[in-house]
Amino acid sequence: MTSDIREEIVAFLPRLRRFAYSLTGNLADGDDLAQDVCVRAIERSHQWRPGTRLDSWMYRIAQNLWIDRVRSAKVRTRGNETMAAEPDTATVALNPAEDRLALQAVSAGIAELPEDQQILVALVCIDGMSYREAAEISEVPIGTVMSRLSRARKALHGKLYGEAGK
């Protein structure tokens, strides 16, 4: 593996860590996921094509690892529990109690979304990617990204404000 890809992976770590945290809802689990993504990327660096976007490739690895973990957890617990944990409030700066509660409510709402919607919310709403970039990473048409995000936003609104996510 060339030092170029290693440098790019290191530069990408803050974004990867933020993405992993947004999927897991927990700082420790997010760090574990980010580490596993880096290990997988290094092990399979021969699969990455120079000249293509490393971030898209690594987001895709993270997405696949996360989906595998969620499915594995569902099988182990027979659907009684979800892998998403309460957000780690220790990572939130000392804000008013209302801000912490709102963050917890949003994190819990995101954790209840279907996997495909969680990933797109993380990519677009948290990481700030465009719909086109999210579509490329998720390998779905841009219209699918738009409809899934629309459903996710409606569901989150319903969860936060007690309305049906129509």
Side-chain angles (χ1 to χ4, degrees):
M1 180 168 69
T2 67
S3 62
D4 291 343
I5 191 172
R6 289 179 190 209
E7 290 173 11
E8 287 187 55
I9 289 173
V10 170
F12 179 66
L13 278 175
R15 289 177 55 204
L16 175 63
R17 190 169 180 241
R18 185 172 52 241
F19 179 68
Y21 172 73
S22 69
L23 291 177
T24 63
N26 176 290
L27 189 57
D29 291 339
D31 284 345
D32 288 344
L33 178 60
Q35 180 178 351
D36 290 345
V37 170
C38 291
V39 168
R40 174 87 42 103
I42 290 168
E43 289 174 348
R44 299 181 180 179
S45 62
H46 63 280
Q47 294 177 347
W48 179 67
R49 289 177 239 123
T52 61
R53 292 184 51 178
L54 181 70
D55 61 343
S56 294
W57 183 63
M58 290 188 65
Y59 277 132
R60 188 72 180 156
I61 293 171
Q63 177 181 333
N64 290 337
L65 285 173
W66 173 245
I67 289 171
D68 289 347
R69 286 182 183 183
V70 170
R71 288 180 182 158
S72 176
K74 285 180 183 176
V75 168
R76 281 194 310 271
T77 60
R78 301 182 198 261
N80 292 334
E81 299 175 11
T82 61
M83 194 167 165
E86 289 295 317
D88 184 1
T89 55
T91 63
V92 178
L94 295 176
N95 292 326
E98 289 179 8
D99 290 344
R100 284 194 303 274
L101 290 174
L103 177 61
Q104 288 175 347
V106 171
S107 295
I110 290 171
E112 292 177 20
L113 294 173
E115 297 160 3
D116 56 346
Q117 292 178 12
Q118 284 182 19
I119 289 164
L120 291 173
V121 166
L123 290 172
V124 174
C125 301
I126 296 172
D127 202 42
M129 290 192 162
S130 70
Y131 286 7
R132 182 171 312 285
E133 291 171 318
E136 290 171 5
I137 290 168
S138 300
E139 297 178 346
V140 296
I142 195 167
T144 302
V145 169
M146 294 167 62
S147 65
R148 286 180 184 170
L149 280 172
S150 176
R151 286 194 302 272
R153 287 178 177 132
K154 286 179 183 176
L156 282 173
H157 186 271
K159 290 175 192 313
L160 295 174
Y161 298 105
E163 302 168 9
K166 298 178 184 175

